[in-house]
PDB file of all heavy atoms in Angstrom:
ATOM      1  N   GLU Q 342     -37.433-127.824 -71.002  1.00 93.00           N
ATOM      2  CA  GLU Q 342     -37.250-129.266 -71.154  1.00 93.00           C
ATOM      3  C   GLU Q 342     -35.876-129.755 -70.667  1.00 93.00           C
ATOM      4  O   GLU Q 342     -35.745-130.812 -70.059  1.00 93.00           O
ATOM      5  CB  GLU Q 342     -37.577-129.606 -72.663  1.00 93.00           C
ATOM      6  CG  GLU Q 342     -38.925-129.688 -73.017  1.00 93.00           C
ATOM      7  CD  GLU Q 342     -39.205-130.397 -74.357  1.00 93.00           C
ATOM      8  OE1 GLU Q 342     -38.237-130.888 -74.921  1.00 93.00           O
ATOM      9  OE2 GLU Q 342     -40.288-130.298 -74.892  1.00 93.00           O
ATOM     10  N   HIS Q 343     -34.930-129.014 -71.102  1.00 94.00           N
ATOM     11  CA  HIS Q 343     -33.482-129.384 -70.824  1.00 94.00           C
ATOM     12  C   HIS Q 343     -33.273-129.343 -69.299  1.00 94.00           C
ATOM     13  O   HIS Q 343     -32.568-130.377 -68.789  1.00 94.00           O
ATOM     14  CB  HIS Q 343     -32.584-128.446 -71.526  1.00 94.00           C
ATOM     15  CG  HIS Q 343     -31.172-128.830 -71.342  1.00 94.00           C
ATOM     16  ND1 HIS Q 343     -30.452-129.764 -72.129  1.00 94.00           N
ATOM     17  CD2 HIS Q 343     -30.138-128.347 -70.463  1.00 94.00           C
ATOM     18  CE1 HIS Q 343     -29.207-129.874 -71.740  1.00 94.00           C
ATOM     19  NE2 HIS Q 343     -28.970-129.038 -70.719  1.00 94.00           N
ATOM     20  N   ALA Q 344     -33.748-128.354 -68.550  1.00 92.00           N
ATOM     21  CA  ALA Q 344     -33.580-128.295 -67.172  1.00 92.00           C
ATOM     22  C   ALA Q 344     -34.233-129.517 -66.480  1.00 92.00           C
ATOM     23  O   ALA Q 344     -33.661-130.046 -65.590  1.00 92.00           O
ATOM     24  CB  ALA Q 344     -34.223-127.067 -66.713  1.00 92.00           C
ATOM     25  N   ASN Q 345     -35.423-129.831 -66.896  1.00 91.00           N
ATOM     26  CA  ASN Q 345     -36.204-130.992 -66.345  1.00 91.00           C
ATOM     27  C   ASN Q 345     -35.476-132.270 -66.632  1.00 91.00           C
ATOM     28  O   ASN Q 345     -35.315-133.265 -65.774  1.00 91.00           O
ATOM     29  CB  ASN Q 345     -37.658-130.998 -66.682  1.00 91.00           C
ATOM     30  CG  ASN Q 345     -38.467-130.006 -65.963  1.00 91.00           C
ATOM     31  OD1 ASN Q 345     -38.299-129.808 -64.749  1.00 91.00           O
ATOM     32  ND2 ASN Q 345     -39.290-129.315 -66.646  1.00 91.00           N
ATOM     33  N   ARG Q 346     -34.994-132.501 -67.868  1.00 91.00           N
ATOM     34  CA  ARG Q 346     -34.325-133.641 -68.272  1.00 91.00           C
ATOM     35  C   ARG Q 346     -33.105-133.774 -67.495  1.00 91.00           C
ATOM     36  O   ARG Q 346     -32.718-134.906 -66.998  1.00 91.00           O
ATOM     37  CB  ARG Q 346     -34.111-133.697 -69.794  1.00 91.00           C
ATOM     38  CG  ARG Q 346     -33.458-134.889 -70.293  1.00 91.00           C
ATOM     39  CD  ARG Q 346     -33.105-134.736 -71.792  1.00 91.00           C
ATOM     40  NE  ARG Q 346     -34.328-134.810 -72.611  1.00 91.00           N
ATOM     41  CZ  ARG Q 346     -34.812-133.752 -73.326  1.00 91.00           C
ATOM     42  NH1 ARG Q 346     -34.133-132.639 -73.215  1.00 91.00           N
ATOM     43  NH2 ARG Q 346     -35.931-133.987 -73.977  1.00 91.00           N
ATOM     44  N   LEU Q 347     -32.357-132.726 -67.457  1.00 90.00           N
ATOM     45  CA  LEU Q 347     -30.993-132.786 -66.721  1.00 90.00           C
ATOM     46  C   LEU Q 347     -31.243-133.112 -65.238  1.00 90.00           C
ATOM     47  O   LEU Q 347     -30.545-134.011 -64.706  1.00 90.00           O
ATOM     48  CB  LEU Q 347     -30.377-131.461 -66.761  1.00 90.00           C
ATOM     49  CG  LEU Q 347     -28.949-131.251 -66.345  1.00 90.00           C
ATOM     50  CD1 LEU Q 347     -28.026-132.126 -67.138  1.00 90.00           C
ATOM     51  CD2 LEU Q 347     -28.585-129.730 -66.376  1.00 90.00           C
ATOM     52  N   CYS Q 348     -32.202-132.460 -64.596  1.00 87.00           N
ATOM     53  CA  CYS Q 348     -32.417-132.722 -63.096  1.00 87.00           C
ATOM     54  C   CYS Q 348     -32.848-134.178 -62.938  1.00 87.00           C
ATOM     55  O   CYS Q 348     -32.404-134.870 -62.056  1.00 87.00           O
ATOM     56  CB  CYS Q 348     -33.498-131.784 -62.654  1.00 87.00           C
ATOM     57  SG  CYS Q 348     -33.981-131.995 -60.931  1.00 87.00           S
ATOM     58  N   GLN Q 349     -33.940-134.600 -63.732  1.00 86.00           N
ATOM     59  CA  GLN Q 349     -34.469-135.902 -63.467  1.00 86.00           C
ATOM     60  C   GLN Q 349     -33.494-137.030 -63.797  1.00 86.00           C
ATOM     61  O   GLN Q 349     -33.474-138.053 -63.246  1.00 86.00           O
ATOM     62  CB  GLN Q 349     -35.782-136.052 -64.238  1.00 86.00           C
ATOM     63  CG  GLN Q 349     -36.817-135.180 -63.659  1.00 86.00           C
ATOM     64  CD  GLN Q 349     -38.147-135.038 -64.407  1.00 86.00           C
ATOM     65  OE1 GLN Q 349     -38.648-136.097 -64.811  1.00 86.00           O
ATOM     66  NE2 GLN Q 349     -38.653-133.811 -64.680  1.00 86.00           N
ATOM     67  N   TYR Q 350     -32.706-136.854 -64.861  1.00 86.00           N
ATOM     68  CA  TYR Q 350     -31.729-138.004 -65.249  1.00 86.00           C
ATOM     69  C   TYR Q 350     -30.704-138.111 -64.061  1.00 86.00           C
ATOM     70  O   TYR Q 350     -30.407-139.233 -63.669  1.00 86.00           O
ATOM     71  CB  TYR Q 350     -31.051-137.528 -66.488  1.00 86.00           C
ATOM     72  CG  TYR Q 350     -30.108-138.638 -66.943  1.00 86.00           C
ATOM     73  CD1 TYR Q 350     -30.514-139.690 -67.735  1.00 86.00           C
ATOM     74  CD2 TYR Q 350     -28.736-138.686 -66.567  1.00 86.00           C
ATOM     75  CE1 TYR Q 350     -29.766-140.780 -68.147  1.00 86.00           C
ATOM     76  CE2 TYR Q 350     -27.905-139.708 -66.982  1.00 86.00           C
ATOM     77  CZ  TYR Q 350     -28.439-140.718 -67.730  1.00 86.00           C
ATOM     78  OH  TYR Q 350     -27.507-141.778 -68.013  1.00 86.00           O
ATOM     79  N   HIS Q 351     -30.203-136.972 -63.503  1.00 84.00           N
ATOM     80  CA  HIS Q 351     -29.195-137.062 -62.494  1.00 84.00           C
ATOM     81  C   HIS Q 351     -29.806-137.545 -61.184  1.00 84.00           C
ATOM     82  O   HIS Q 351     -29.100-138.225 -60.375  1.00 84.00           O
ATOM     83  CB  HIS Q 351     -28.406-135.720 -62.325  1.00 84.00           C
ATOM     84  CG  HIS Q 351     -27.475-135.462 -63.325  1.00 84.00           C
ATOM     85  ND1 HIS Q 351     -26.195-135.983 -63.256  1.00 84.00           N
ATOM     86  CD2 HIS Q 351     -27.471-134.630 -64.397  1.00 84.00           C
ATOM     87  CE1 HIS Q 351     -25.452-135.643 -64.245  1.00 84.00           C
ATOM     88  NE2 HIS Q 351     -26.227-134.736 -64.930  1.00 84.00           N
ATOM     89  N   ARG Q 352     -31.045-137.356 -60.918  1.00 81.00           N
ATOM     90  CA  ARG Q 352     -31.678-137.801 -59.705  1.00 81.00           C
ATOM     91  C   ARG Q 352     -32.015-139.297 -59.784  1.00 81.00           C
ATOM     92  O   ARG Q 352     -31.945-140.015 -58.747  1.00 81.00           O
ATOM     93  CB  ARG Q 352     -32.939-136.907 -59.406  1.00 81.00           C
ATOM     94  CG  ARG Q 352     -32.638-135.441 -58.962  1.00 81.00           C
ATOM     95  CD  ARG Q 352     -33.921-134.784 -58.351  1.00 81.00           C
ATOM     96  NE  ARG Q 352     -34.313-135.287 -57.186  1.00 81.00           N
ATOM     97  CZ  ARG Q 352     -35.355-134.756 -56.454  1.00 81.00           C
ATOM     98  NH1 ARG Q 352     -35.996-133.802 -57.026  1.00 81.00           N
ATOM     99  NH2 ARG Q 352     -35.703-135.259 -55.432  1.00 81.00           N
ATOM    100  N   TYR Q 353     -32.535-139.672 -60.956  1.00 80.00           N
ATOM    101  CA  TYR Q 353     -33.145-140.934 -61.024  1.00 80.00           C
ATOM    102  C   TYR Q 353     -32.316-141.977 -61.870  1.00 80.00           C
ATOM    103  O   TYR Q 353     -32.828-143.241 -61.963  1.00 80.00           O
ATOM    104  CB  TYR Q 353     -34.536-140.926 -61.567  1.00 80.00           C
ATOM    105  CG  TYR Q 353     -35.485-139.963 -60.694  1.00 80.00           C
ATOM    106  CD1 TYR Q 353     -36.050-138.825 -61.302  1.00 80.00           C
ATOM    107  CD2 TYR Q 353     -35.701-140.318 -59.361  1.00 80.00           C
ATOM    108  CE1 TYR Q 353     -36.837-138.015 -60.533  1.00 80.00           C
ATOM    109  CE2 TYR Q 353     -36.535-139.416 -58.564  1.00 80.00           C
ATOM    110  CZ  TYR Q 353     -36.976-138.308 -59.210  1.00 80.00           C
ATOM    111  OH  TYR Q 353     -37.879-137.488 -58.434  1.00 80.00           O
ATOM    112  N   ALA Q 354     -31.300-141.662 -62.470  1.00 83.00           N
ATOM    113  CA  ALA Q 354     -30.601-142.587 -63.271  1.00 83.00           C
ATOM    114  C   ALA Q 354     -29.083-142.728 -62.758  1.00 83.00           C
ATOM    115  O   ALA Q 354     -28.205-142.837 -63.541  1.00 83.00           O
ATOM    116  CB  ALA Q 354     -30.503-141.994 -64.714  1.00 83.00           C
ATOM    117  N   ASN Q 355     -28.929-142.740 -61.383  1.00 81.00           N
ATOM    118  CA  ASN Q 355     -27.639-143.002 -60.919  1.00 81.00           C
ATOM    119  C   ASN Q 355     -27.243-144.325 -60.489  1.00 81.00           C
ATOM    120  O   ASN Q 355     -26.222-144.592 -59.870  1.00 81.00           O
ATOM    121  CB  ASN Q 355     -27.486-142.108 -59.636  1.00 81.00           C
ATOM    122  CG  ASN Q 355     -28.611-142.343 -58.621  1.00 81.00           C
ATOM    123  OD1 ASN Q 355     -29.464-143.089 -58.818  1.00 81.00           O
ATOM    124  ND2 ASN Q 355     -28.499-141.547 -57.481  1.00 81.00           N
ATOM    125  N   SER Q 356     -28.200-145.333 -60.860  1.00 88.00           N
ATOM    126  CA  SER Q 356     -27.802-146.796 -60.620  1.00 88.00           C
ATOM    127  C   SER Q 356     -27.400-147.425 -61.920  1.00 88.00           C
ATOM    128  O   SER Q 356     -28.173-147.245 -62.888  1.00 88.00           O
ATOM    129  CB  SER Q 356     -28.933-147.446 -59.950  1.00 88.00           C
ATOM    130  OG  SER Q 356     -29.333-146.808 -58.740  1.00 88.00           O
ATOM    131  N   GLN Q 357     -26.314-148.121 -61.883  1.00 91.00           N
ATOM    132  CA  GLN Q 357     -25.864-148.884 -63.132  1.00 91.00           C
ATOM    133  C   GLN Q 357     -25.967-150.331 -62.916  1.00 91.00           C
ATOM    134  O   GLN Q 357     -25.531-150.872 -61.851  1.00 91.00           O
ATOM    135  CB  GLN Q 357     -24.444-148.383 -63.381  1.00 91.00           C
ATOM    136  CG  GLN Q 357     -24.231-147.005 -63.560  1.00 91.00           C
ATOM    137  CD  GLN Q 357     -22.784-146.559 -63.872  1.00 91.00           C
ATOM    138  OE1 GLN Q 357     -21.894-147.337 -63.682  1.00 91.00           O
ATOM    139  NE2 GLN Q 357     -22.571-145.311 -64.145  1.00 91.00           N
ATOM    140  N   TYR Q 358     -26.474-151.018 -63.913  1.00 92.00           N
ATOM    141  CA  TYR Q 358     -26.792-152.432 -63.755  1.00 92.00           C
ATOM    142  C   TYR Q 358     -26.060-153.189 -64.839  1.00 92.00           C
ATOM    143  O   TYR Q 358     -25.742-152.774 -65.974  1.00 92.00           O
ATOM    144  CB  TYR Q 358     -28.254-152.748 -63.871  1.00 92.00           C
ATOM    145  CG  TYR Q 358     -29.065-152.199 -62.785  1.00 92.00           C
ATOM    146  CD1 TYR Q 358     -29.614-150.884 -62.743  1.00 92.00           C
ATOM    147  CD2 TYR Q 358     -29.362-152.959 -61.574  1.00 92.00           C
ATOM    148  CE1 TYR Q 358     -30.349-150.334 -61.801  1.00 92.00           C
ATOM    149  CE2 TYR Q 358     -30.104-152.478 -60.554  1.00 92.00           C
ATOM    150  CZ  TYR Q 358     -30.599-151.114 -60.644  1.00 92.00           C
ATOM    151  OH  TYR Q 358     -31.326-150.578 -59.626  1.00 92.00           O
ATOM    152  N   THR Q 359     -25.639-154.421 -64.530  1.00 92.00           N
ATOM    153  CA  THR Q 359     -25.092-155.315 -65.468  1.00 92.00           C
ATOM    154  C   THR Q 359     -25.894-156.730 -65.370  1.00 92.00           C
ATOM    155  O   THR Q 359     -25.935-157.134 -64.151  1.00 92.00           O
ATOM    156  CB  THR Q 359     -23.611-155.631 -65.327  1.00 92.00           C
ATOM    157  OG1 THR Q 359     -22.930-154.381 -65.436  1.00 92.00           O
ATOM    158  CG2 THR Q 359     -22.936-156.544 -66.378  1.00 92.00           C
ATOM    159  N   PHE Q 360     -26.353-157.338 -66.501  1.00 90.00           N
ATOM    160  CA  PHE Q 360     -26.926-158.588 -66.415  1.00 90.00           C
ATOM    161  C   PHE Q 360     -26.867-159.391 -67.717  1.00 90.00           C
ATOM    162  O   PHE Q 360     -26.367-158.781 -68.714  1.00 90.00           O
ATOM    163  CB  PHE Q 360     -28.498-158.442 -65.965  1.00 90.00           C
ATOM    164  CG  PHE Q 360     -29.175-157.440 -66.828  1.00 90.00           C
ATOM    165  CD1 PHE Q 360     -29.794-157.817 -68.108  1.00 90.00           C
ATOM    166  CD2 PHE Q 360     -29.341-156.191 -66.534  1.00 90.00           C
ATOM    167  CE1 PHE Q 360     -30.533-156.993 -68.863  1.00 90.00           C
ATOM    168  CE2 PHE Q 360     -30.068-155.246 -67.235  1.00 90.00           C
ATOM    169  CZ  PHE Q 360     -30.619-155.595 -68.450  1.00 90.00           C
ATOM    170  N   TYR Q 361     -27.280-160.579 -67.695  1.00 91.00           N
ATOM    171  CA  TYR Q 361     -27.062-161.396 -68.870  1.00 91.00           C
ATOM    172  C   TYR Q 361     -28.380-162.169 -69.335  1.00 91.00           C
ATOM    173  O   TYR Q 361     -29.217-162.543 -68.464  1.00 91.00           O
ATOM    174  CB  TYR Q 361     -26.032-162.541 -68.579  1.00 91.00           C
ATOM    175  CG  TYR Q 361     -24.665-162.104 -68.006  1.00 91.00           C
ATOM    176  CD1 TYR Q 361     -24.485-161.747 -66.743  1.00 91.00           C
ATOM    177  CD2 TYR Q 361     -23.667-161.849 -68.853  1.00 91.00           C
ATOM    178  CE1 TYR Q 361     -23.258-161.346 -66.222  1.00 91.00           C
ATOM    179  CE2 TYR Q 361     -22.389-161.377 -68.440  1.00 91.00           C
ATOM    180  CZ  TYR Q 361     -22.304-161.068 -67.215  1.00 91.00           C
ATOM    181  OH  TYR Q 361     -21.133-160.609 -66.684  1.00 91.00           O
ATOM    182  N   SER Q 362     -28.563-162.094 -70.586  1.00 91.00           N
ATOM    183  CA  SER Q 362     -29.850-162.719 -71.114  1.00 91.00           C
ATOM    184  C   SER Q 362     -29.609-163.172 -72.594  1.00 91.00           C
ATOM    185  O   SER Q 362     -28.772-162.633 -73.279  1.00 91.00           O
ATOM    186  CB  SER Q 362     -30.918-161.734 -71.050  1.00 91.00           C
ATOM    187  OG  SER Q 362     -32.191-162.289 -71.681  1.00 91.00           O
ATOM    188  N   LYS Q 363     -30.399-164.190 -73.034  1.00 90.00           N
ATOM    189  CA  LYS Q 363     -30.403-164.569 -74.535  1.00 90.00           C
ATOM    190  C   LYS Q 363     -31.316-163.727 -75.356  1.00 90.00           C
ATOM    191  O   LYS Q 363     -31.133-163.778 -76.635  1.00 90.00           O
ATOM    192  CB  LYS Q 363     -30.735-166.060 -74.572  1.00 90.00           C
ATOM    193  CG  LYS Q 363     -29.750-166.957 -74.069  1.00 90.00           C
ATOM    194  CD  LYS Q 363     -30.021-168.444 -74.415  1.00 90.00           C
ATOM    195  CE  LYS Q 363     -29.004-169.411 -74.004  1.00 90.00           C
ATOM    196  NZ  LYS Q 363     -29.306-170.838 -74.316  1.00 90.00           N
TER     197      LYS Q 363
END
Side-chain angles (χ1 to χ4, degrees):
E342 279 191 12
H343 184 83
N345 282 318
R346 181 183 291 110
L347 189 65
C348 174
Q349 293 174 48
Y350 184 86
H351 280 282
R352 289 188 70 178
Y353 301 120
N355 56 356
S356 299
Q357 300 176 353
Y358 296 88
T359 301
F360 52 87
Y361 303 85
S362 176
K363 286 187 177 180

